[in-house]
């Protein structure tokens, strides 16, 4: 009977060791995934900041172009029907 219990104990010990090895491998995989997730989150934050800055710059440039186009139109007024040189009179 003692041999039977020792055999069961050894069998259980081997099975626990196999489970332990599997759990350690899973722990390493989880740690690697957590690190990758952190890197992606950091990259995502940087990209969001860059995108926000780009959008702000785009809006500023759009406003500037609009102002320049408007100013250009205002400075190029043509009057039809007036003779050349009448401006000074």
């Amino acid at each position: 009977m003692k041999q039977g219990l020792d055999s069961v104990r050894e069998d259980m010990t081997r099975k626990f060791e196999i489970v332990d090895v599997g759990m350690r491998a899973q722990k390493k995989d989880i740690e690697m995934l957590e690190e990758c997730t952190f890197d992606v989150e950091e990259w995502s934050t940087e990209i969001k900041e860059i995108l926000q800055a780009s959008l702000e710059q785009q809006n500023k440039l759009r406003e500037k172009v609009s102002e320049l186009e408007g100013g250009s139109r205002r400075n190029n007024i043509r009057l039809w029907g007036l003779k050349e040189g009448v401006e000074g009179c």
Side-chain angles (χ1 to χ4, degrees):
M1 180 138 167
K2 183 169 167 114
Q3 284 180 336
L5 288 176
D6 288 341
S7 174
V8 169
R9 187 180 312 179
E10 288 175 13
D11 188 41
M12 293 295 286
T13 302
R14 274 188 257 121
K15 287 181 180 180
F16 281 132
E17 287 174 357
I18 292 170
V19 169
D20 186 48
V21 168
M23 288 179 65
R24 287 181 188 181
Q26 287 180 350
K27 184 178 178 181
K28 287 181 182 179
D29 291 343
I30 289 171
E31 288 173 353
M32 184 182 69
L33 289 172
E34 286 175 342
E35 185 177 324
C36 290
T37 302
F38 176 76
D39 292 343
V40 168
E41 288 174 349
E42 187 175 301
W43 177 81
S44 175
T45 302
E46 291 175 7
I47 293 299
K48 285 179 184 178
E49 291 172 358
I50 291 170
L51 181 60
Q52 183 66 33
S54 294
L55 290 172
E56 289 174 5
Q57 185 178 16
Q58 180 184 10
N59 286 333
K60 287 178 184 178
L61 291 173
R62 184 177 289 138
E63 289 175 10
K64 188 172 184 177
V65 166
S66 179
E67 289 176 13
L68 290 172
E69 286 177 346
S72 174
R73 287 187 194 110
R74 285 188 295 273
N75 291 334
N76 293 330
I77 297 175
R78 293 182 184 223
L79 300 174
W80 298 94
L82 296 177
K83 293 182 180 179
E84 191 69 35
V86 177
E87 308 93 15
C89 297

